[in-house]
Structure formats: structure tokens, C-alpha cells
Amino acid sequence: MRLRRASCLTCYWHEGEFVVHPYPGGTPTALHPAAAEVLAAFDDWVEPAKAAESLDHLTPDTVAEAVQALHEAGALLAEGSDEADRDEKVARRWQTWAPEASFFHYATQDVPYADLERAGGNRQGEADTTPVDTAVSAVDGPSHSMFTEYPDADRVLLPRRPADLRVPYEQVLYARRTHRDFTDDPVPLPTLATLLSTVFGPVDYIDSGRSALFRRTSPAGGSRQELDAYVGILNVTGVDPGMYHYNLREHSLELLSPGLGRDEVVRLGAGQDWIGGVAFLVVLTAVIDRMSSKYHTPRCYRVSLLDAGHLGQTFALTATALGLGPAQTGAFCDTPIAERLGLDNIGHTPLYVLAAGTPHPDPKWAPPRATLDTFRATTLR
Ligand SMILES: Cc1cc2nc3c(=O)[nH]c(=O)nc-3n(C[C@H](O)[C@H](O)[C@H](O)COP(=O)(O)O)c2cc1C
């Protein structure tokens, strides 16, 4: 039987052990690091005995044992097998997204609900000493701080009288568009204050069974509220340009570093020119421990990304209702943004950049309508 190394395979050291982790569905298996050399001999379909010839510094028994373990783990695939067929299909379909995106996607699939709180993905040969607790709401893990605050920072206490949000739902939903053209009119402070409190402020507090959690206008996995809002001010009445943190408990903007220019915003926004025209940015950042202290499985990193999407949508709808033009970008320079915000980019890291400004009546970046010719050039089915 000829074997080949799986194309969808990630190897790493974890807690001192060398692990081969094929995906999708393969078993992460701790092996001797010589397994990497054995895998290297299976670049293409080959009989194990033939492959062993290039591994003549290892004993035949060692090679045979390693081949068996790698085959059982799914890191070596048999020619003509369903697993080999699937491996080829996954590798072809995910192409340039592999291995980073495909590995994360598949390695975090199919986690049973009851396992959400146990130690993430026990590898073969590792003992699981973490108790499984299916009563999700009863265990919060080690205590973590619910709020991020900068007690020593200078701050702007924000007005509490809400700007008018009473726009019909249907009108808001269909009026929402991503804006990339803005006027130079500053955004009034009460408008920004209403947007921040509506999207990021606490709505109420609940008892998780062990500690208090708060809820927002957006749903959030486990109500962990691991996402913080950092605000880059360019053109808002009564607030100097600079980088701030939105203190949601106090409803204030805490000054982290003064000054912010349009050129810098373009650089932080991965060189997108339009972003230099916004009145303010909101960087959503994840406090990893707030989520991982309860949910140990790496799958819950997905939940943080989903949480960011929910907040992004609530931001866009609320900004629209307030008469602002919202925008969002997945393209941004993570490390410079983290540095500019004074975040360590380890336990506290940027995930998503939202922005808004006064919408331009005659936008030049708005996409043109699709015409008959556009549809002619499109594969519709
Ligand atoms: C997660 C996400 C990331 C996005 N990233 C960018 C981006 O990097 N640059 C950009 O100009 N627009 C970005 N957009 C905006 C989309 O291009 C826009 O939503 C899309 O064209 C549909 O238009 P609409 O928002 O007006 O419905 C992003 C939108 C989302 C939801």
C-alpha cells in the first residue's frame, strides 16, 4: 500500500511534545520529533519500504513504528482512500488560505458543547485533569476584570442625554450603507456619546451563578464582553484629536495619547485613502482572558470574531439612525494599531476597525449600480 503525507497537516510543539495534527478530523498526536523526518520521506505516493531507504540512519523497526503511528493519526494517507481524496479536495479548495485559515477552521470544528469549558483539544497521550462542567453558567474560571479602565488617564466625561434614535427600523435597515466619503462637518459630541453608549454600554447586569456579567444591545458569547472599544478622534466637536479608550462604566473617553492625523489613520487603515476622511474610528479589541478563562477550547476564538461582527452591525445601524455614515474595515495594520493604543497585542489585541463621519451628499467612492453589461459579465449560476 502506497502512502503519502497529508497536505493538510500542521506540526508544532505543545507543552514540550512534538505534535502532528492533520485536519480535517485527524487526531492531534504527540510523537518523537523524528516523525517529521519520516513524514518528509512521504512527499509523494511511495511504498513504506521504499521510503525507508532514504531513512537509513533510522532502524527499520523505528521507521515501521513511526509509519504506523502516523498512518493511524491521519498524517500519512493510503492511496485511493476516502481520507486521501478529502485531503486533496480540502488542499485544493482552501489554496492560499492554507495552512493558517484552514487549520484554524478545521482544528476547531465539532467540539461537543460539553467540552467547551474543558482544556482545549487534549492531545493523545495527555491526561485531561480538567473537570468537565456542563453547567456552563455555573463556572466562570479564574476571576477576571469585567471592565478595562485607565484610572490615571485624563478624561472627557460624555453627555448622557441621548441623541434622537427614533428612526423607523425599516428605514434604518435599508438606509445603512458602508460610507467612504465624508464632509468636513464635525460629528457633535452628543451623537458620538449616544453611539458609544448604545453599542458598547451596559444594558443590564446578570448573575452568572458565580459572578456578575453585563449585557449589551448586541448578543455576546457567554456574555463575557471581552471586546473593548478604543476611539480615535479626528473631527468631533469638543474633543481634541487623539486616541482614547471608551470607559463604558463611567461613560467617558480616557485619553491614551494626544493627537491623531488623517495620514496616520490612512497608514493604520492599511493604506486605504478613504479612511483618512472619517470623523472617528472605533477599534474593537479582544481581552483574551475574559473569554478564555471560562471557555478553554480554542473554538471560542471564533466566538470572539463573531462577537465583533455583532457589535459591528449594531454600530452600523445605530450610526445610520443617528445620521452618520458608518464604515468598517477588516484591512488594518494590527501591530501599529496595538502600539498606538498601548496594547500589548498579547492578552489584548485588535480585531476589527469601525469608523463613521458625516456622510458626503455626493460620494465619489460609492460603487456604481450593476447594469445589464455587469450581469452579462457575471456567472449567475
Ligand atoms: C467584516 C468586514 C470587513 C470589511 N472590510 C472592508 C475593507 O477592508 N475596506 C473597505 O473599503 N470596505 C470593507 N468592508 C465594507 C464592505 O466592502 C461593504 O460592506 C460591502 O461592499 C457591502 O456594502 P454595504 O456595506 O454598503 O452593504 C468590510 C465589511 C465587513 C462586514
Side-chain angles (χ1 to χ4, degrees):
M1 173 179 58
R2 297 203 304 172
L3 301 175
R4 163 175 77 62
R5 188 178 62 247
S7 303
C8 302
L9 174 67
T10 299
C11 300
Y12 48 87
W13 267 265
H14 181 77
E15 293 177 353
E17 297 203 283
F18 180 70
V19 178
V20 295
H21 193 155
Y23 59 92
T27 315
T29 305
L31 292 171
H32 189 279
E37 238 184 307
V38 176
L39 283 169
F42 286 86
D43 240 356
D44 207 346
W45 297 117
V46 61
E47 291 290 344
K50 179 85 183 144
E53 289 172 13
S54 63
L55 298 164
D56 53 4
H57 54 296
L58 300 175
T59 68
D61 282 354
T62 305
V63 175
E65 259 175 54
V67 167
Q68 192 187 341
L70 288 165
H71 188 209
E72 280 169 12
L76 286 178
L77 303 171
E79 192 172 18
S81 65
D82 289 348
E83 290 77 14
D85 183 45
R86 187 163 160 75
D87 176 68
E88 260 170 46
K89 283 184 177 143
V90 173
R92 209 176 319 124
R93 190 54 62 95
W94 285 74
Q95 285 189 19
T96 58
W97 285 13
E100 293 88 340
S102 51
F103 177 64
F104 170 62
H105 181 72
Y106 288 112
T108 57
Q109 269 193 342
D110 301 323
V111 175
Y113 185 69
D115 283 358
L116 285 180
E117 289 169 75
R118 59 195 276 174
N122 291 306
R123 287 146 186 93
Q124 256 185 19
E126 280 180 15
D128 175 12
T129 52
T130 313
V132 179
D133 196 322
T134 50
V136 173
S137 63
V139 181
D140 282 343
S143 64
H144 65 274
S145 57
M146 200 171 174
F147 302 108
T148 301
E149 300 196 316
Y150 295 82
D152 298 329
D154 289 337
R155 64 202 53 234
V156 178
L157 297 178
L158 295 170
R160 294 216 178 238
R161 181 193 293 186
D164 191 3
L165 268 172
R166 287 167 306 164
V167 188
Y169 174 68
E170 190 189 62
Q171 199 175 311
V172 173
L173 200 56
Y174 285 95
R176 183 215 59 80
R177 289 271 71 90
T178 297
H179 289 251
R180 299 184 184 84
D181 301 85
F182 307 93
T183 68
D184 289 335
D185 297 335
V187 168
L189 185 57
T191 304
L192 174 64
T194 301
L195 177 64
L196 293 175
S197 64
T198 305
V199 180
F200 303 109
V203 170
D204 63 8
Y205 293 84
I206 53 172
D207 181 347
S208 76
R210 179 167 151 172
S211 63
L213 296 171
F214 72 89
R215 296 189 291 191
R216 285 172 161 149
T217 49
S218 300
S223 208
R224 306 306 294 171
Q225 311 301 358
E226 76 286 4
L227 301 182
D228 288 344
Y230 287 77
V231 186
I233 299 281
L234 282 163
N235 190 17
V236 175
T237 50
V239 188
D240 292 338
M243 283 294 195
Y244 296 79
H245 168 254
Y246 177 55
N247 180 322
L248 57 97
R249 192 160 64 126
E250 191 179 59
H251 191 47
S252 68
L253 287 175
E254 296 167 316
L255 179 63
L256 304 177
S257 58
L260 184 63
R262 299 202 177 280
D263 290 349
E264 185 184 4
V265 169
V266 170
R267 278 199 302 280
L268 296 175
Q272 299 177 89
D273 284 336
W274 62 265
I275 207 166
V278 305
F280 60 89
L281 302 169
V282 177
V283 181
L284 298 190
T285 64
V287 180
I288 299 297
D289 178 56
R290 245 182 245 155
M291 179 63 89
S292 67
S293 62
K294 178 171 180 186
Y295 297 117
H296 297 189
T297 167
R299 182 180 175 87
C300 286
Y301 180 66
R302 290 182 183 212
V303 175
S304 289
L305 301 179
L306 297 171
D307 285 346
H310 279 287
L311 286 173
Q313 179 70 356
T314 306
F315 175 92
L317 292 176
T318 308
T320 304
L322 289 165
L324 298 176
Q328 59 283 309
T329 176
F332 56 87
C333 298
D334 310 59
T335 306
I337 285 191
E339 278 168 8
R340 189 61 163 79
L341 297 174
L343 303 179
D344 62 7
N345 205 10
I346 300 171
H348 201 170
T349 189
L351 288 189
Y352 197 11
V353 174
L354 314 172
T358 307
H360 200 287
D362 183 19
K364 69 174 192 295
W365 293 99
R369 297 227 168 278
T371 64
L372 193 55
D373 278 345
T374 323
F375 288 115
R376 280 194 186 114
T378 306
T379 308
L380 291 174
R381 62 176 75 87

